[in-house]
């Protein structure tokens, strides 16, 4: 359904938008199959309402929210963000949502809360990739992700409930997902059911699967290659056909350095990739 | 036992050609119609790579089948299959360079050097290229015994290709493991021949050293 929003911000990104049709038909969502075309085929039956989101852990006010009510209650804004996949392709997407900080503040984190852990729905009946290791790429589900507290509270970190003016389609992570534009796409976890504030760095799915290839931070960094491919440039998925795509240099922090670099001044980004 | 007449071999060849052309037509149509997704680059590359692997395995299946079914005539379709495997492998690399790297040859060369799994893939293509280049009958006659030695490198290609596949996947090992086992199975069937070949090479080298 259509969503109303108040403002539209692009945080300095003037790039041309990726067409909606491509954003909806080219997805990594292994719960519905490992091929890019699987999610749009297999996710349409996902029941996204009612949908309960739990926020708990190191908080003073644990919350259990109905996502439909949340979408109606929160003031939504449009954010035009770059999405840089770790596979070296990228899109420019007009998300609808609100800062994750708003949600976290509501639960009132206590002094022990140093990290935020996220969890995707676990429902093998609805998600064929969870029912079969063959379909789901051998990943241990549920999919989990995490951010450091300051990353979670950064104004750029978005909880998205829509794109292109409408609620999220299932293949894009309906009904509620994370968008962290200065990190590789796999950090932006989809179809979230639980947000837990924790003291220690939480496990993250791709890091568990191949820790030498995917780190906890996963900041977009053209200077640190994936062991099997270069991260120095990316294929931007735009409006045209197959051969009109462009290969463009990848920017540090995906071009959002001004807003996020100060969080990593003490971190060796070669080691903490 | 069905006898392989000239006509039947021609029919089989036609079927095989169709079997390799139709998937390419299907690929073209699914890209054009959008069935291959909003950004079919990875789809195209994977499709062509799997086609090359299937072709290579099929070519290695010919002589076991010919012997098992006692139909020597079958051997006459093997070159065609091998050449198609080469065409698919070439298209696979062309798609990687043209669609993913968008023609950046310097990047391709850099990646070949830096990424072992791509190096393994390129080594496979090199073997298939050498075989394709020497596939005409005239070349076979000119090279004599060395022709067979050159074409025995296909055994190495049959190991490198599934290793390249396994190495390239992001997650999940069932499918690549299945392909590697099937390839090793095809090689195990000719283990005597491979061992025999090694012995020739060894004694040949010994002869060289003595001489």
């Amino acid at each position: 359904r259509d969503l109303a929003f108040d403002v539209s911000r692009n945080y300095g990104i003037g790039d041309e938008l990726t067409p909606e049709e491509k954003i909806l038909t080219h997805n990594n969502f292994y719960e519905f199959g490992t091929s890019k075309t699987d999610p749009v085929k297999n996710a349409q039956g996902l029941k996204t309402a009612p949908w309960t989101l739990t926020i708990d852990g190191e908080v003073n006010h644990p919350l259990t929210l109905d996502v439909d009510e949340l979408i109606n209650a929160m003031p939504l804004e449009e954010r035009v963000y770059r999405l840089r996949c770790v596979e070296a392709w990228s899109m420019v997407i007009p998300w609808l949502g609100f800062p994750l900080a708003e949600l976290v503040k509501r639960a009132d984190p206590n002094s022990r809360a140093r990290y935020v852990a996220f969890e995707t729905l676990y429902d093998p009946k609805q998600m064929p990739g969870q029912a079969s290791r063959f379909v789901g790429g051998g990943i241990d589900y549920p999919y989990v992700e995490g951010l450091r507290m300051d990353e979670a509270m950064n104004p750029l970190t978005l909880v998205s409930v829509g794109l292109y003016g409408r609620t999220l389609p299932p293949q894009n992570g309906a009904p509620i997902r994370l968008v962290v534009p200065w990190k590789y796409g796999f950090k932006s976890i989809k179809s979230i059911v639980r947000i837990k504030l924790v003291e220690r760095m939480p496990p993250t799915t791709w890091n568990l699967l191949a820790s030498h290839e995917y780190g906890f931070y996963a900041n977009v960094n053209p200077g640190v290659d994936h062991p099997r491919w270069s991260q120095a440039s990316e294929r931007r998925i735009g409006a045209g056909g197959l051969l009109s795509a462009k290969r463009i240099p990848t920017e540090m922090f995906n071009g959002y350095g001004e807003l996020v670099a100060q969080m990593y001044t003490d971190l060796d980004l070669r080691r903490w990739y | 036992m069905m006898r392989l007449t000239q006509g039947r071999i021609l029919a089989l060849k036609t079927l095989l050609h169709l079997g390799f052309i139709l998937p390419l037509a299907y690929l073209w149509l699914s890209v054009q119609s959008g069935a291959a997704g909003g950004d079919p680059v990875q789809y195209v590359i994977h499709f062509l790579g799997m086609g090359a692997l299937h072709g290579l395995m099929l070519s290695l299946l010919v002589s076991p089948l010919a012997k098992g079914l006692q139909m020597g005539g079958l051997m006459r379709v093997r070159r065609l299959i091998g050449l198609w495997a080469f065409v698919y492998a070439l298209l696979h690399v062309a798609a990687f360079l043209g669609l993913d790297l968008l023609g950046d040859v310097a990047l391709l060369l850099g990646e070949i050097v830096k990424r072992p799994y791509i190096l393994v893939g390129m080594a496979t293509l090199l073997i298939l290229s050498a075989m394709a280049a020497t596939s005409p009958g005239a070349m076979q006659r000119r090279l004599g015994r060395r022709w067979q030695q050159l074409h025995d490198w296909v055994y190495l290609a049959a190991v490198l290709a599934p290793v390249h596949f396994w190495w390239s996947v992001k997650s999940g090992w069932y499918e690549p493991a299945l392909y590697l086992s099937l390839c090793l199975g095809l090689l195990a069937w000719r283990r005597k021949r491979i061992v025999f070949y090694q012995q020739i090479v060894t004694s040949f080298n010994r002869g060289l050293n003595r001489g």
Side-chain angles (χ1 to χ4, degrees), chain A residues 236-254:
Chain A
R236 172 60 56 81
I237 300 173
L242 259 188
L243 290 164
S244 67
K246 283 194 181 64
R247 199 141 186 118
I248 55 173
T250 292
E251 292 180 48
M252 188 65 206
F253 297 118
N254 209 18

Side-chain angles (χ1 to χ4, degrees), chain A residues 22 25-26 30 36-37 87 133-134 137 206 209 214 225-230 235 237 242-243 245-247, chain B residues 31 35-42 99-102 107 111 114-115 117 167-172 174-175:
Chain A
K22 295 198 181 185
T25 56
H26 180 80
Y30 279 23
K36 297 281 183 294
T37 46
E87 297 165 357
R133 288 183 72 80
F134 195 78
W206 280 99
L209 200 75
Y214 313 99
D225 283 349
H226 184 283
R228 286 181 282 136
W229 56 85
S230 166
R235 203 167 41 77
I237 300 173
L242 259 188
L243 290 164
K246 283 194 181 64
R247 199 141 186 118
Chain B
V31 167
D39 181 60
V41 172
Q42 205 192 351
L99 304 181
D100 195 356
L101 306 184
L102 295 160
L107 182 57
E111 292 293 88
K114 275 194 263 180
R115 323 286 166 196
Y117 91 96
W167 214 334
S168 73
V169 297
K170 264 174 82 191
S171 69
Y174 299 125
E175 201 188 356

